Amino acid sequence: MPYKHWFVSRQKRQLTTILPALFAYHDVCVGKEWTRDLQLDFEDVLGGRNITRHGKLRSREEDRGGGGTRTLFKQMKDLGLVFHQVIEKRINGKVKKAKVCRLTLIGEKIVSGDMKFVEALRLQLQRYQYPSAASWSGSGEVDHNFHVHPFQFIFRLLRDPRLDNRLTMQEMHGIVIHKATSDSKDVYENVVSCIVESRHTLNYEFIPDTKTKTYSDVANTLFNYINITQYIDRGLQYISVRSGKENAVDQFIEESPSFILRPDLSENYLRRYGRGLVAMDRRNFDHEDVASQKQLREKRIYQEYLLIALKTPIKEITTDIIEEISNNTGIDEKIVEDFLRLNHSEGNIDDFFASYRDLASMLKSNPRDRQAIARQFEEATCEIFKKIFCMRAEHIGSKGTTPDVFVESEEEEYCGIIDNKAYHKGYSLNGAHKRVMIDEYIPKYKQYVKTEFPLAFFTYISGSFGKRINSGITDII
């Protein structure tokens, strides 16, 4: 039975992880037939690059491996980045159909460095629609009566003053994903009136969630997806348009958005959806040009550059960036430097902050993942203060009962301490955290690092904060 609500594939909730997965797909799969063996090869590479976990050995031996890989492919397909080209081949005198792995035009633009990942995802989310090739049939099928651009619809709600320019998680999973069946004005007004009524009626009957929290998961994934635009702020169980991004959101919303027809024709649909900034994908894969060694080398440099950009803010091309890429690729430093300075001298801040915001709103995960993500969050914070604020920054969170990050301005002669809080739900200062800041971190700050400067500030950094954060900060002050 098809879903009677919006649905999105979510092998990876954090969309920034799609970027290294797309590189892996390009390296392993493009131009090859999509078979079980190729799926397992793809799975091996994803596991080796810490993008996904390996399937269990027994499952792989029993021909049940690659399930997570197939879901990841479906997510990339859902975003219009990849597709399968159906070809006919003759085997033992019989004609059989085979699926060959391809990148869409916008997928190629991302991999080749002609379009930044965040910019590409903004375009794809703007065009995202139901019905689509990914939601037309199979396990993720959405009822064909849905004719709506979901992310444009969400932004329309966020720009509506009747809703105080915000949307809660409960409104999303209890109203919007069910009732927003089209882009029409009548449907939109009905959704708005339901939300307004729910805010003024104590016992408003939201559509109840399933036992497995399907609707909540879908709503949360949609919020994670729209977060990649960098146009929203995410509070505790709600989203709103970030101050200063109102014009960008208004440009995202189209007055009469067009639909791509025939989503049942998957290849045709995806080539149109993933066409990027051109009118049509006119590629003929039967007459492909073999890329030159120079092109392949430059593509490899750019891929490594983007992976670094997810971990550290790049304001300009520096020697450490050049050396790291050269070491990781084996390409001469002079070649790396010439390519980057010619093509990417402006640096790359957007992709880093997309990744940083993901880390700041850590998702539910097992303890091993949670610890690793928390450390990445702390290290990324160090990089912000080093690269953007040009301060001395040191990660000290692994030294016992200490704040996570120490920063110092030698020019202004002051220092500060930072505690990172990567919480799935908004962070509120509890009594224990207040006591440790008052009794340990602030009075003992000179014990953590060598500094002669006075402590000017303490701060907490999190993806969102609970209602008690202000009173907690005041208590410490």
Side-chain angles (χ1 to χ4, degrees):
M1 289 289 292
Y3 293 120
K4 301 289 185 180
H5 56 80
W6 297 0
F7 181 81
V8 283
S9 299
R10 59 181 194 119
Q11 203 278 341
K12 286 291 175 188
R13 300 191 194 202
Q14 294 167 274
L15 280 189
T16 47
T17 57
I18 291 293
L19 182 58
L22 190 66
F23 290 156
Y25 178 84
H26 168 265
D27 294 344
V28 177
C29 303
V30 170
K32 300 177 183 176
E33 184 180 346
W34 184 248
T35 63
R36 172 187 171 271
D37 287 341
L38 186 65
Q39 289 176 40
L40 295 180
D41 288 344
F42 187 31
E43 186 177 279
D44 287 337
V45 173
L46 293 172
R49 299 184 187 183
N50 296 317
I51 300 169
T52 64
R53 288 218 183 103
H54 231 300
K56 293 181 179 179
L57 179 60
R58 182 177 178 183
S59 297
R60 291 161 65 87
E61 289 177 344
E62 294 176 357
D63 198 14
R64 291 188 288 111
T69 305
R70 287 191 294 272
T71 307
L72 179 57
F73 170 83
K74 187 172 183 180
Q75 187 173 20
M76 292 191 292
K77 171 184 172 183
D78 194 30
L79 292 166
L81 306 177
V82 302
F83 68 97
H84 284 155
Q85 177 195 14
V86 179
I87 63 170
E88 292 183 347
K89 64 179 186 178
R90 187 173 294 275
I91 302 176
N92 298 327
K94 294 182 178 179
V95 176
K96 293 187 177 181
K97 291 185 177 181
K99 297 178 179 179
V100 178
C101 299
R102 301 293 183 189
L103 290 171
T104 61
L105 275 175
I106 201 164
E108 282 191 349
K109 292 289 185 184
I110 295 171
V111 168
S112 64
D114 294 327
M115 182 177 282
K116 290 184 178 179
F117 180 68
V118 171
E119 293 173 356
L121 266 292
R122 285 172 183 158
L123 181 59
Q124 293 310 94
L125 293 182
Q126 182 187 40
R127 292 176 177 170
Y128 195 102
Q129 68 173 58
Y130 299 117
S132 69
S135 66
W136 186 256
S137 61
S139 58
E141 180 182 354
V142 174
D143 191 294
H144 296 172
N145 289 321
F146 279 75
H147 285 264
V148 62
H149 293 81
F151 295 100
Q152 291 199 45
F153 200 102
I154 293 171
F155 273 131
R156 287 168 69 188
L157 295 173
L158 292 176
R159 292 292 286 143
D160 197 318
R162 292 173 294 178
L163 303 181
D164 299 322
N165 305 111
R166 65 182 176 87
L167 185 64
T168 71
M169 183 71 73
Q170 186 176 37
E171 291 160 356
M172 191 71 193
H173 71 69
I175 297 175
V176 179
I177 67 172
H178 307 278
K179 296 183 180 293
T181 57
S182 83
D183 293 323
S184 73
K185 184 176 180 180
D186 289 344
V187 168
Y188 176 78
E189 289 299 325
N190 179 56
V191 171
V192 170
S193 65
C194 288
I195 295 174
V196 170
E197 183 182 353
S198 73
R199 294 181 182 181
H200 293 88
T201 304
L202 186 61
N203 296 316
Y204 180 83
E205 293 187 7
F206 291 95
I207 294 175
D209 208 343
T210 66
K211 292 181 179 179
T212 56
K213 303 296 183 183
T214 300
Y215 303 155
S216 298
D217 283 344
V218 169
N220 186 56
T221 306
L222 288 163
F223 277 13
N224 289 335
Y225 271 37
I226 205 168
N227 194 50
I228 198 71
T229 64
Q230 301 184 2
Y231 294 159
I232 70 161
D233 282 324
R234 190 162 181 177
L236 180 58
Q237 297 292 306
Y238 76 91
I239 58 174
S240 59
V241 175
R242 187 186 300 179
S243 178
K245 296 298 182 181
E246 293 84 0
N247 288 339
V249 169
D250 291 342
Q251 291 176 17
F252 187 100
I253 302 167
E254 298 174 298
E255 186 173 344
S256 299
S258 61
F259 284 88
I260 303 169
L261 304 178
R262 296 302 303 272
D264 54 314
L265 301 178
S266 180
E267 180 182 339
N268 290 349
Y269 175 92
L270 288 165
R271 289 181 73 150
R272 292 181 181 179
Y273 177 32
R275 70 186 186 277
L277 300 176
V278 301
M280 187 177 297
D281 179 359
R282 299 182 182 276
R283 291 174 298 171
N284 183 346
F285 296 109
D286 293 331
H287 299 88
E288 291 183 278
D289 294 327
V290 178
S292 67
Q293 287 299 312
K294 180 175 181 291
Q295 290 173 317
L296 293 173
R297 187 169 58 227
E298 290 178 347
K299 186 177 293 185
R300 185 70 188 91
I301 293 170
Y302 180 71
Q303 289 177 358
E304 199 64 37
Y305 167 78
L306 275 190
L307 295 178
I308 293 173
L310 292 178
K311 299 182 295 182
T312 185
I314 301 176
K315 291 179 66 178
E316 58 184 346
I317 304 305
T318 54
T319 55
D320 59 326
I321 298 295
I322 294 167
E323 288 175 3
E324 184 173 354
I325 292 175
S326 178
N327 291 336
N328 291 345
T329 62
I331 299 171
D332 184 84
E333 287 186 11
K334 186 65 168 65
I335 296 174
V336 173
E337 180 178 6
D338 289 346
F339 172 76
L340 292 179
R341 293 200 187 282
L342 179 63
N343 297 281
H344 304 288
S345 59
E346 77 285 358
N348 189 335
I349 298 292
D350 283 354
D351 286 351
F352 168 79
F353 274 111
S355 177
Y356 187 71
R357 285 173 67 85
D358 279 345
L359 293 172
S361 302
M362 186 177 66
L363 303 169
K364 296 176 181 177
S365 54
N366 65 46
R368 185 179 67 178
D369 289 343
R370 192 178 302 120
Q371 186 176 8
I373 292 174
R375 184 176 180 84
Q376 291 173 34
F377 184 26
E378 294 160 12
E379 291 173 345
T381 300
C382 274
E383 292 300 301
I384 289 174
F385 279 86
K386 288 178 184 176
K387 302 286 180 63
I388 296 179
F389 297 119
C390 301
M391 298 174 73
R392 173 193 167 200
E394 186 177 341
H395 178 222
I396 58 175
S398 58
K399 297 181 179 180
T401 306
T402 61
D404 296 318
V405 177
F406 171 85
V407 298
E408 181 181 83
S409 172
E410 294 182 354
E411 182 180 353
E412 300 296 334
E413 299 185 341
Y414 70 82
C415 62
I417 53 177
I418 301 169
D419 231 15
N420 289 87
K421 299 297 181 183
Y423 278 50
H424 174 57
K425 296 182 178 180
Y427 172 69
S428 291
L429 264 169
N430 60 37
H433 288 182
K434 283 190 287 187
R435 283 192 295 273
V436 77
M437 181 63 75
I438 294 169
D439 297 335
E440 298 287 336
Y441 296 172
I442 291 175
K444 299 178 181 179
Y445 77 96
K446 286 190 177 182
Q447 296 180 17
Y448 309 136
V449 292
K450 291 183 179 180
T451 182
E452 298 301 322
F453 300 141
L455 186 70
F457 71 90
F458 70 93
T459 188
Y460 296 92
I461 301 179
S462 182
S464 61
F465 292 96
K467 295 178 180 178
R468 297 191 303 275
I469 189 67
N470 286 341
S471 63
I473 293 289
T474 302
D475 289 344
I476 296 174
I477 293 172

mmCIF file of all heavy atoms in Angstrom, residues 354-375:
data_model
loop_
_atom_site.group_PDB
_atom_site.id
_atom_site.type_symbol
_atom_site.label_atom_id
_atom_site.label_comp_id
_atom_site.label_asym_id
_atom_site.label_seq_id
_atom_site.Cartn_x
_atom_site.Cartn_y
_atom_site.Cartn_z
ATOM 1 N N ALA A 354 27.713 23.523 6.816
ATOM 2 C CA ALA A 354 26.659 22.516 6.683
ATOM 3 C C ALA A 354 27.003 21.289 7.520
ATOM 4 O O ALA A 354 26.156 20.729 8.214
ATOM 5 C CB ALA A 354 26.493 22.134 5.217
ATOM 6 N N SER A 355 28.251 20.877 7.463
ATOM 7 C CA SER A 355 28.706 19.734 8.249
ATOM 8 C C SER A 355 28.712 20.057 9.742
ATOM 9 O O SER A 355 28.321 19.230 10.574
ATOM 10 C CB SER A 355 30.106 19.315 7.788
ATOM 11 O OG SER A 355 30.609 18.251 8.561
ATOM 12 N N TYR A 356 29.139 21.266 10.089
ATOM 13 C CA TYR A 356 29.222 21.672 11.497
ATOM 14 C C TYR A 356 27.845 21.688 12.151
ATOM 15 O O TYR A 356 27.673 21.255 13.292
ATOM 16 C CB TYR A 356 29.868 23.051 11.583
ATOM 17 C CG TYR A 356 30.159 23.520 13.002
ATOM 18 C CD1 TYR A 356 31.169 22.936 13.756
ATOM 19 C CD2 TYR A 356 29.427 24.571 13.566
ATOM 20 C CE1 TYR A 356 31.449 23.374 15.041
ATOM 21 C CE2 TYR A 356 29.698 25.010 14.849
ATOM 22 C CZ TYR A 356 30.702 24.408 15.584
ATOM 23 O OH TYR A 356 30.967 24.843 16.864
ATOM 24 N N ARG A 357 26.844 22.162 11.413
ATOM 25 C CA ARG A 357 25.485 22.196 11.966
ATOM 26 C C ARG A 357 24.956 20.787 12.192
ATOM 27 O O ARG A 357 24.197 20.537 13.130
ATOM 28 C CB ARG A 357 24.549 22.979 11.039
ATOM 29 C CG ARG A 357 24.755 24.476 11.107
ATOM 30 C CD ARG A 357 23.927 25.203 10.057
ATOM 31 N NE ARG A 357 22.514 25.089 10.324
ATOM 32 C CZ ARG A 357 21.842 25.883 11.137
ATOM 33 N NH1 ARG A 357 22.471 26.832 11.803
ATOM 34 N NH2 ARG A 357 20.545 25.734 11.313
ATOM 35 N N ASP A 358 25.339 19.848 11.344
ATOM 36 C CA ASP A 358 24.970 18.450 11.563
ATOM 37 C C ASP A 358 25.573 17.937 12.865
ATOM 38 O O ASP A 358 24.905 17.274 13.658
ATOM 39 C CB ASP A 358 25.473 17.576 10.404
ATOM 40 C CG ASP A 358 24.547 17.624 9.198
ATOM 41 O OD1 ASP A 358 23.410 18.094 9.356
ATOM 42 O OD2 ASP A 358 24.955 17.183 8.117
ATOM 43 N N LEU A 359 26.846 18.230 13.089
ATOM 44 C CA LEU A 359 27.514 17.771 14.302
ATOM 45 C C LEU A 359 26.892 18.407 15.544
ATOM 46 O O LEU A 359 26.789 17.762 16.588
ATOM 47 C CB LEU A 359 29.001 18.128 14.245
ATOM 48 C CG LEU A 359 29.842 17.412 13.187
ATOM 49 C CD1 LEU A 359 31.242 18.016 13.138
ATOM 50 C CD2 LEU A 359 29.916 15.916 13.458
ATOM 51 N N ALA A 360 26.469 19.658 15.417
ATOM 52 C CA ALA A 360 25.910 20.382 16.556
ATOM 53 C C ALA A 360 24.559 19.840 16.988
ATOM 54 O O ALA A 360 24.131 20.051 18.119
ATOM 55 C CB ALA A 360 25.784 21.869 16.225
ATOM 56 N N SER A 361 23.872 19.131 16.110
ATOM 57 C CA SER A 361 22.564 18.536 16.427
ATOM 58 C C SER A 361 22.695 17.027 16.335
ATOM 59 O O SER A 361 22.070 16.386 15.508
ATOM 60 C CB SER A 361 21.491 19.043 15.463
ATOM 61 O OG SER A 361 21.408 20.447 15.509
ATOM 62 N N MET A 362 23.565 16.464 17.174
ATOM 63 C CA MET A 362 23.890 15.050 17.086
ATOM 64 C C MET A 362 22.643 14.194 17.176
ATOM 65 O O MET A 362 21.779 14.388 18.024
ATOM 66 C CB MET A 362 24.858 14.650 18.197
ATOM 67 C CG MET A 362 25.358 13.234 18.083
ATOM 68 S SD MET A 362 26.558 12.840 19.372
ATOM 69 C CE MET A 362 25.532 12.931 20.836
ATOM 70 N N LEU A 363 22.557 13.213 16.285
ATOM 71 C CA LEU A 363 21.399 12.339 16.225
ATOM 72 C C LEU A 363 21.536 11.194 17.212
ATOM 73 O O LEU A 363 22.605 10.897 17.724
ATOM 74 C CB LEU A 363 21.251 11.785 14.802
ATOM 75 C CG LEU A 363 21.124 12.865 13.737
ATOM 76 C CD1 LEU A 363 21.246 12.248 12.359
ATOM 77 C CD2 LEU A 363 19.789 13.566 13.873
ATOM 78 N N LYS A 364 20.412 10.520 17.436
ATOM 79 C CA LYS A 364 20.444 9.340 18.282
ATOM 80 C C LYS A 364 21.359 8.300 17.643
ATOM 81 O O LYS A 364 21.258 8.011 16.465
ATOM 82 C CB LYS A 364 19.037 8.750 18.428
ATOM 83 C CG LYS A 364 18.054 9.675 19.140
ATOM 84 C CD LYS A 364 16.682 9.057 19.154
ATOM 85 C CE LYS A 364 15.667 9.975 19.832
ATOM 86 N NZ LYS A 364 14.304 9.428 19.786
ATOM 87 N N SER A 365 22.246 7.739 18.433
ATOM 88 C CA SER A 365 23.169 6.751 17.901
ATOM 89 C C SER A 365 23.738 5.950 19.053
ATOM 90 O O SER A 365 23.495 6.248 20.220
ATOM 91 C CB SER A 365 24.297 7.445 17.131
ATOM 92 O OG SER A 365 24.921 8.413 17.944
ATOM 93 N N ASN A 366 24.477 4.881 18.717
ATOM 94 C CA ASN A 366 25.050 4.096 19.799
ATOM 95 C C ASN A 366 26.203 4.871 20.433
ATOM 96 O O ASN A 366 26.720 5.828 19.861
ATOM 97 C CB ASN A 366 25.488 2.715 19.290
ATOM 98 C CG ASN A 366 26.622 2.794 18.289
ATOM 99 O OD1 ASN A 366 27.593 3.510 18.491
ATOM 100 N ND2 ASN A 366 26.506 2.060 17.198
ATOM 101 N N PRO A 367 26.636 4.474 21.632
ATOM 102 C CA PRO A 367 27.643 5.250 22.364
ATOM 103 C C PRO A 367 28.933 5.473 21.586
ATOM 104 O O PRO A 367 29.539 6.547 21.690
ATOM 105 C CB PRO A 367 27.874 4.405 23.621
ATOM 106 C CG PRO A 367 26.588 3.667 23.814
ATOM 107 C CD PRO A 367 26.088 3.375 22.422
ATOM 108 N N ARG A 368 29.371 4.477 20.806
ATOM 109 C CA ARG A 368 30.618 4.646 20.066
ATOM 110 C C ARG A 368 30.492 5.771 19.050
ATOM 111 O O ARG A 368 31.378 6.618 18.922
ATOM 112 C CB ARG A 368 30.980 3.338 19.349
ATOM 113 C CG ARG A 368 32.338 3.410 18.647
ATOM 114 C CD ARG A 368 32.659 2.101 17.969
ATOM 115 N NE ARG A 368 31.753 1.840 16.864
ATOM 116 C CZ ARG A 368 31.845 0.765 16.076
ATOM 117 N NH1 ARG A 368 32.782 -0.144 16.303
ATOM 118 N NH2 ARG A 368 30.989 0.590 15.088
ATOM 119 N N ASP A 369 29.377 5.804 18.319
ATOM 120 C CA ASP A 369 29.169 6.872 17.346
ATOM 121 C C ASP A 369 29.043 8.222 18.034
ATOM 122 O O ASP A 369 29.568 9.225 17.566
ATOM 123 C CB ASP A 369 27.905 6.603 16.519
ATOM 124 C CG ASP A 369 28.082 5.455 15.550
ATOM 125 O OD1 ASP A 369 29.242 5.085 15.288
ATOM 126 O OD2 ASP A 369 27.075 4.919 15.071
ATOM 127 N N ARG A 370 28.323 8.242 19.158
ATOM 128 C CA ARG A 370 28.078 9.498 19.859
ATOM 129 C C ARG A 370 29.391 10.109 20.329
ATOM 130 O O ARG A 370 29.612 11.311 20.211
ATOM 131 C CB ARG A 370 27.143 9.247 21.042
ATOM 132 C CG ARG A 370 26.597 10.515 21.676
ATOM 133 C CD ARG A 370 25.639 10.202 22.827
ATOM 134 N NE ARG A 370 24.539 9.385 22.367
ATOM 135 C CZ ARG A 370 24.263 8.175 22.850
ATOM 136 N NH1 ARG A 370 25.027 7.648 23.786
ATOM 137 N NH2 ARG A 370 23.230 7.500 22.401
ATOM 138 N N GLN A 371 30.278 9.293 20.849
ATOM 139 C CA GLN A 371 31.563 9.783 21.324
ATOM 140 C C GLN A 371 32.408 10.323 20.176
ATOM 141 O O GLN A 371 33.035 11.379 20.302
ATOM 142 C CB GLN A 371 32.307 8.651 22.040
ATOM 143 C CG GLN A 371 33.598 9.097 22.707
ATOM 144 C CD GLN A 371 34.258 7.971 23.483
ATOM 145 O OE1 GLN A 371 33.836 6.819 23.418
ATOM 146 N NE2 GLN A 371 35.297 8.296 24.238
ATOM 147 N N ALA A 372 32.399 9.619 19.050
ATOM 148 C CA ALA A 372 33.181 10.055 17.894
ATOM 149 C C ALA A 372 32.641 11.368 17.336
ATOM 150 O O ALA A 372 33.408 12.276 16.990
ATOM 151 C CB ALA A 372 33.174 8.971 16.821
ATOM 152 N N ILE A 373 31.305 11.499 17.254
ATOM 153 C CA ILE A 373 30.701 12.721 16.727
ATOM 154 C C ILE A 373 30.985 13.892 17.663
ATOM 155 O O ILE A 373 31.281 15.006 17.213
ATOM 156 C CB ILE A 373 29.185 12.534 16.529
ATOM 157 C CG1 ILE A 373 28.921 11.528 15.399
ATOM 158 C CG2 ILE A 373 28.512 13.857 16.201
ATOM 159 C CD1 ILE A 373 27.460 11.165 15.233
ATOM 160 N N ALA A 374 30.897 13.650 18.979
ATOM 161 C CA ALA A 374 31.172 14.719 19.940
ATOM 162 C C ALA A 374 32.603 15.227 19.781
ATOM 163 O O ALA A 374 32.853 16.439 19.817
ATOM 164 C CB ALA A 374 30.949 14.213 21.361
ATOM 165 N N ARG A 375 33.552 14.316 19.577
ATOM 166 C CA ARG A 375 34.944 14.737 19.395
ATOM 167 C C ARG A 375 35.105 15.536 18.097
ATOM 168 O O ARG A 375 35.806 16.559 18.070
ATOM 169 C CB ARG A 375 35.864 13.522 19.380
ATOM 170 C CG ARG A 375 37.342 13.907 19.289
ATOM 171 C CD ARG A 375 38.259 12.709 19.361
ATOM 172 N NE ARG A 375 39.650 13.128 19.280
ATOM 173 C CZ ARG A 375 40.393 13.540 20.291
ATOM 174 N NH1 ARG A 375 39.860 13.575 21.505
ATOM 175 N NH2 ARG A 375 41.646 13.903 20.127
#
